[in-house]
Amino acid sequence: MVVGKSEIKVGIVGLGTVGGGTATVLAQNADVIAARATAIRLAAVADIATEKTRAFLDNIGLTDTVLTDNWHDLIDNPDIDIIVETIGGTNLAREVISAALKAGKSVVTANKDLLALHGGELLAIAEEKQTDLFFEAAVAGGIPVVQAVKEGLAGNRFKSIMGIVNGTTNFILTKMSETGEDFADALAEAQRLGYAEADPTSDIEGYDAARKVAILSSMAFNSRVTFDMVACEGITHISKWDMRYADEFGYAIKMLGIARHCGDQDGGYIDARVHPVMIPKNHPLATVRDSYNAVYVEGNAVEKTMFYGRGAGALPTGSAIVGDIIQAARNIVHNCKARWGCTCYLNLPVLPIDEVESKYYVRICVYDTVGVLAALASALTANNISADAVIQKRKIGEDKAEIVLITHKVRHADMMAALKAISDLDCTCEVSDYIRVEEDEN
Ligand code: HSE
């Protein structure tokens, strides 16, 4: 494919795990990339760890790649066509991407934190400068779901996107389910094996997944959804007892990112949230184990599709970034940049979490006395909630028992009010946990 330039030059800003994976894929697969698209060369890298970075580049055969500790050198170099931003964070990265786009360069990034906050602003700069901003690696690492939603499935009205988009929490929940471990032990193992960071907050509290849901919702529902609009609840409260009871009821517990279009076809609203969910064991997402990711997309024409793969790691993420580099390179060679931009032409509201309706599993520790079930039932009835199943699961010590119930669909606000009323009952020792239950496949 030689229409315009015969070699496309790339500059990477930040050569950590993801930048390093990108450089490795570019170096190892240079021949197939050139044969499929055009010659692509990693011309320059900007990184502060210069000695270590030089050794890394030499080791993968990129001895000609120029190394600098000043990212402006890459932006100011007119020979560099594509800037890859892999420094992460939201401040410097925003400056780098913005400067690169303003210089007319194509930009590829994996930065979900930045896109979930300032994606609209950056895509507007790309549009103004008639250049490309690609971000496949920002959602579910190596899985090409961004391209799928933007291109392959672009003929659909999307109904829902539901996904396991955080590998750390999927690893922890898989361990808990398969070994009977409690959360803290499974987290410690994830940290030991490198699946969880020393500070795991962003993963286990759901913030990482919420950023991905914000990006996917914006694309699928043509309305800008930012991180702060996605209701988010973590997995730290899940216990081995929840795992055990879920199994008995025929459910798996998964941390899901959920984005749905509700209401009118041409209006309506968006339901966007991240939290643990009990899903039937035969749901396709229930079979996704360990640190794997999967995204389940439903469109009105295609019906249900599922994308599965590695959501993190140097080479899988590098694979996604190099895919974007190739797409950007093709657009440069064919002189057709800016084909693929922001599609947020609507401004649909996001449903407040209080209004979201779900079935709930609730685990309550009660004093084992006469009238407990009647008291629980009246607290539920007072808040418009009816129970689908109520089961006394186990004795706790001499005088306590654990009651597990599953409700019919109920507004979140009503469920919270009922749990407060149950907590206040004399017969209640504690409301130990609640988890939403999804019966539908979408
Ligand atoms: N910490 C993330 C995960 C990596 O566990 O999936 C990519 O965001």
Side-chain angles (χ1 to χ4, degrees):
M1 181 180 76
V2 180
V3 175
K5 290 182 151 211
S6 58
E7 183 185 69
I8 296 297
K9 294 185 181 63
V10 175
I12 297 182
V13 182
L15 210 76
T17 304
V18 174
T22 305
T24 305
V25 177
L26 283 175
Q28 282 180 352
N29 297 344
D31 53 345
V32 286
I33 293 168
R36 285 179 187 146
T38 187
I40 296 177
R41 189 161 71 83
L42 181 55
V45 164
D47 193 278
I48 42 171
T50 46
E51 261 182 41
K52 213 174 106 201
T53 314
R54 178 77 269 159
F56 175 84
L57 290 169
D58 291 348
N59 193 39
I60 56 172
L62 297 177
T63 49
D64 290 343
T65 299
V66 173
L67 187 56
T68 171
D69 60 2
N70 183 354
W71 61 269
H72 292 281
D73 294 346
L74 274 55
I75 310 288
D76 295 341
N77 182 344
D79 290 338
I80 292 184
D81 306 286
I82 301 172
I83 295 291
V84 176
E85 179 279 309
T86 41
I87 42 181
T90 52
N91 295 328
L92 181 56
R94 186 180 180 186
E95 210 185 314
V96 169
I97 293 178
S98 176
L101 293 171
K102 284 178 182 160
K105 298 188 189 297
S106 304
V107 174
V108 177
T109 179
N111 196 328
K112 58 195 157 303
D113 301 38
L114 179 60
L115 291 168
L117 284 176
H118 304 297
E121 164 201 309
L122 296 171
L123 284 162
I125 302 173
E127 171 82 29
E128 190 196 322
K129 291 292 171 184
Q130 286 293 288
T131 191
D132 287 324
L133 170 60
F134 293 141
F135 47 88
E136 182 62 72
V139 180
I143 304 174
V145 68
V146 170
Q147 278 263 6
V149 170
K150 279 288 225 185
E151 305 221 74
L153 298 175
N156 285 265
R157 290 179 192 275
F158 292 101
K159 294 183 172 179
S160 66
I161 300 186
M162 212 158 89
I164 295 172
V165 290
N166 182 269
T168 306
T169 46
N170 203 39
F171 178 87
I172 292 170
L173 292 174
T174 304
K175 279 286 145 212
M176 290 176 69
S177 149
E178 293 180 2
T179 65
E181 278 170 33
D182 235 324
F183 171 78
D185 294 328
L187 170 61
E189 189 178 353
Q191 286 174 315
R192 204 165 48 245
L193 295 173
Y195 290 122
E197 296 184 31
D199 176 0
T201 312
S202 172
D203 292 317
I204 63 178
E205 295 298 347
Y207 308 144
D208 175 79
R211 292 179 178 114
K212 295 163 183 168
V213 166
I215 296 168
L216 286 171
S217 306
S218 301
M219 291 191 308
F221 307 127
N222 308 305
S223 297
R224 181 62 50 196
V225 176
T226 50
F227 170 58
D228 48 295
M229 297 177 184
V230 181
C232 181
E233 180 189 297
I235 62 163
T236 54
H237 57 90
I238 307 282
S239 86
K240 63 183 175 193
W241 293 107
D242 299 318
M243 282 290 172
R244 201 170 292 186
Y245 300 148
D247 184 60
E248 283 179 29
F249 283 120
Y251 296 121
I253 301 178
K254 292 290 183 189
M255 177 70 153
L256 295 189
I258 296 173
R260 283 198 181 105
H261 179 252
C262 312
D264 281 358
Q265 185 169 279
D266 298 313
Y269 49 89
I270 297 168
D271 171 15
R273 51 201 157 96
V274 168
H275 48 70
V277 185
M278 288 190 181
I279 50 174
K281 282 185 201 170
N282 63 1
H283 190 289
L285 288 171
T287 62
V288 178
R289 297 177 59 256
D290 286 331
S291 62
Y292 278 90
N293 282 202
V295 187
Y296 194 72
V297 181
E298 185 174 4
N300 68 339
V302 72
E303 300 183 6
K304 296 166 168 90
T305 59
M306 190 160 105
F307 303 83
Y308 169 87
R310 284 272 177 223
L315 293 182
T317 312
S319 161
I321 292 180
V322 171
D324 278 351
I325 292 172
I326 292 170
Q327 197 189 176
R330 286 188 168 126
N331 289 355
I332 293 167
V333 170
H334 289 279
N335 198 20
C336 58
K337 294 204 296 184
R339 289 184 303 121
W340 193 101
C342 181
T343 48
C344 291
Y345 60 89
L346 295 174
N347 193 17
L348 299 183
V350 174
L351 188 66
I353 190 68
D354 274 351
E355 300 305 321
V356 173
E357 291 191 357
S358 311
K359 293 179 71 164
Y360 283 80
Y361 150 98
V362 183
R363 181 162 60 88
I364 308 160
C365 178
V366 294
Y367 294 104
D368 199 4
T369 52
V370 174
V372 170
L373 285 180
L376 290 180
S378 78
L380 291 170
T381 308
N383 288 286
N384 308 314
I385 297 171
S386 72
D388 200 17
V390 181
I391 301 167
Q392 179 164 332
K393 296 305 298 184
R394 64 183 172 119
K395 292 280 285 179
I396 302 177
E398 284 294 293
D399 60 341
K400 292 180 203 145
E402 192 153 66
I403 305 256
V404 172
L405 58 92
I406 294 192
T407 70
H408 288 291
K409 267 197 174 177
V410 44
R411 279 173 72 240
H412 181 72
D414 289 340
M415 191 71 237
M416 292 305 102
L419 293 185
K420 168 80 176 67
I422 289 172
S423 290
D424 291 345
L425 293 172
D426 287 343
C427 62
T428 301
C429 183
E430 65 166 11
V431 174
S432 308
D433 207 357
Y434 68 85
I435 302 171
R436 292 170 184 82
V437 177
E438 292 275 339
E439 298 283 7
D440 306 335
E441 274 216 348
N442 48 56

